[in-house]
Amino acid sequence: MKKAINLFVLIFLFLPITTFASKIHSNTYSNNNTPESIIDHVYQQANLKGVIDYQVFKEGYNAYYQAKGRKKQILTIIDYSKPSTEKRFFVIDLHQNKLIYRTYVSHGVNSGGRKATRFSNRVNSRQTSLGTFLTDTTYYGGNGYSLKLDGLTRGINDNARRRYIVVHGAKYATESFIKRHGYLGRSWGCPALPTGLSRQIIDTIKGGSVIYAHA
């Protein structure tokens, strides 16, 4: 009788675990899927065709996957191959496979005019840095509500902290500025966002998400 009771208890405890495990497995990729097929799946699900170049997204996704210390399933891609008059800052929720923000972003004053052509990791260069960044904490500074960044790409952006490269809002990073001047204003190397969106974007990506800057 005792053995029968113990067997019943074991079956009762085991059933929910196996059912739950099967449910998880049904919502994940199988071991037979290649990285390329996974990237293609996310790209299609997020409706990124015609919005972000596939190769740029692939580079960004790989950068996200390889980034150490990431805590959020959020990938931000900045495509500096586009001119500043185009929306080139993209925030993608990789949990829901959804594009949640698409907006303007500035580049450094010494990186170029309408389009960024020069990039640097040097302190005081006032140029934009490329590569993979990890977002950290927020603070209030000279540019208002700002987000600290750590550069993860050695020799390319690992001076981000020393250079005070942060995400912040700026009036010169708005569509109205483009309409008045014909181009977007420029920063000292920071990715500055439109003031109307900067706070909500910062609050979305802060605390361990990945930013990939491409050119």
Side-chain angles (χ1 to χ4, degrees), residues 131-150:
T132 307
F133 299 84
L134 192 67
T135 67
D136 195 18
T137 56
T138 59
Y139 71 100
Y140 285 91
N143 291 303
Y145 192 56
S146 305
L147 174 62
K148 297 177 183 178
L149 303 177
D150 287 306

Side-chain angles (χ1 to χ4, degrees), residues 158-171:
D158 54 359
N159 280 331
R161 286 277 187 165
R162 292 178 60 202
R163 296 183 61 204
Y164 300 99
I165 300 300
V166 299
V167 179
H168 64 80
K171 292 180 179 179

